[in-house]
């Protein structure tokens, strides 16, 4: 079956630090990959996505590249802000089927 | 107005009670989903519906039932609530387009079963 593994948190950084949150996946087919973000007290919202190998998803300064050879989709940001403090979820869906399989989430805490 | 709304936002109930969580959407999407979120476990799919006549069990459907009353409405019921159903519940919708499909989430319902 499908599964997503992401690094455990919390990840604690100072403002303007570089962020990496690791995500690896197992899938029987050729999935689409997503990063969702959950700000405190809110529902999840899509941050970025990639649908095929070597695609790079990007949004709000965050980036992730679909690496089929390493089955990874690591999230990066060059300079985090306090407002980036949230829980980040990596997820996948099989092409043509929109049910999502989520990782357990990684909490990011950014201090001034 | 929010595209995906959930009611109630918070609910405290007792063991054995029947409870219904409601979800409405104005996005015109055919596909709707119910998830629960538990600390350290991420989101797990309870039920999903690809159209009004289609209901499917997800990863953790035991103890839950759903009703798709219309394209815009998808309700989740706990027939006899138990404490380990205490969680944050999210409804989501999507348009089901291959490659571009994106799920849109409601704000969540925090359910506590005493």
């Amino acid at each position: 079956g499908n599964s997503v593994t992401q690094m455990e948190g919390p990840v604690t950084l100072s403002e303007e630090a570089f962020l990496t949150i690791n995500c690896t996946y197992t899938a029987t087919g050729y999935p689409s990959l997503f990063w969702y973000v959950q700000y405190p007290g809110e529902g999840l919202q899509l941050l970025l996505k990639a649908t095929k190998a070597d695609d790079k998803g990007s949004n709000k300064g965050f980036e992730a590249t679909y690496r089929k050879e390493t089955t990874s989709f690591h999230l990066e940001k060059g300079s985090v802000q306090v407002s980036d403090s949230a829980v980040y979820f990596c997820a996948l869906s099989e092409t043509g089927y929109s049910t999502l399989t989520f990782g357990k989430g990684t909490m990011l805490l950014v201090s001034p | 107005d929010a595209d995906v709304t959930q009611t109630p936002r918070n609910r405290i109930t007792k063991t054995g009670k029947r409870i219904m969580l409601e979800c409405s959407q104005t996005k015109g999407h055919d596909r709707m989903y119910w998830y629960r979120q538990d600390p350290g476990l991420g989101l797990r799919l309870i039920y999903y519906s690809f159209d009004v006549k289609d209901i499917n069990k997800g990863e953790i459907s035991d103890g839950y039932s759903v009703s798709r009353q219309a394209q815009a409405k998808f309700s989740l019921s706990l027939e006899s609530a138990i404490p380990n159903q205490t969680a944050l519940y999210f409804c989501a919708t999507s348009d089901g387009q291959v490659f571009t499909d994106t799920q849109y989430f409601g704000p969540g319902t925090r359910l506590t079963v005493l």
Side-chain angles (χ1 to χ4, degrees):
Chain A
N2 299 333
S3 67
V4 175
T5 303
Q6 57 184 110
M7 59 190 292
E8 292 190 21
V11 173
T12 304
L13 295 173
S14 298
E15 206 165 25
E16 300 184 1
F18 184 84
L19 168 70
T20 300
I21 300 178
N22 291 336
C23 171
T24 57
Y25 68 90
T26 302
T28 53
Y30 201 164
S32 295
L33 301 174
F34 305 82
W35 277 101
Y36 279 81
V37 59
Q38 183 181 28
Y39 297 104
E42 299 183 10
L44 280 72
Q45 54 187 276
L46 179 68
L47 181 59
L48 53 84
K49 65 182 179 184
T51 58
K52 61 182 186 296
D54 301 324
D55 265 3
K56 178 184 283 187
S58 61
N59 186 27
K60 299 181 180 180
F62 291 89
E63 294 182 340
T65 301
Y66 189 143
R67 300 290 188 198
K68 190 171 187 292
E69 64 276 13
T70 55
T71 61
S72 65
F73 193 54
H74 305 320
L75 182 68
E76 296 182 335
K77 187 176 185 183
S79 176
V80 294
Q81 306 300 311
V82 172
S83 58
D84 293 327
S85 296
V87 181
Y88 292 81
F89 292 92
C90 186
L92 68 82
S93 73
E94 294 285 356
T95 300
Y97 300 91
S98 59
T99 59
L100 286 168
T101 300
F102 284 91
K104 294 182 178 181
T106 302
M107 179 178 288
L108 170 66
L109 300 172
V110 182
S111 57
Chain B
D1 287 340
D3 294 320
V4 184
T5 57
Q6 295 183 232
T7 56
R9 292 294 311 279
N10 288 282
R11 181 71 183 267
I12 300 174
T13 192
K14 294 182 179 180
T15 298
K17 295 292 187 181
R18 184 179 188 278
I19 184 167
M20 178 180 289
L21 309 182
E22 298 185 340
C23 176
S24 295
Q25 54 111 347
T26 59
K27 298 189 75 66
H29 290 166
D30 286 328
R31 300 185 173 194
M32 299 186 74
Y33 311 80
W34 275 105
Y35 295 90
R36 64 176 281 175
Q37 182 180 20
D38 298 277
L41 294 179
L43 273 78
R44 293 179 290 166
L45 183 62
I46 306 172
Y47 271 95
Y48 61 101
S49 169
F50 283 177
D51 64 40
V52 174
K53 297 180 181 179
D54 176 77
I55 301 289
N56 303 280
K57 292 183 178 181
E59 181 186 351
I60 53 163
S61 59
D62 287 348
Y64 301 94
S65 63
V66 291
S67 173
R68 184 79 185 268
Q69 300 94 326
Q71 185 202 38
K73 296 184 182 297
F74 192 36
S75 299
L76 176 71
S77 294
L78 288 68
E79 298 300 326
S80 179
I82 56 177
N84 76 0
Q85 291 177 313
T86 293
L88 190 53
Y89 289 85
F90 287 102
C91 174
T93 75
S94 73
D95 64 10
Q97 298 299 309
V98 176
F99 294 120
T100 62
D101 190 47
T102 297
Q103 291 194 18
Y104 296 87
F105 285 78
T109 294
R110 185 168 297 280
L111 176 65
T112 303
V113 183
L114 302 176

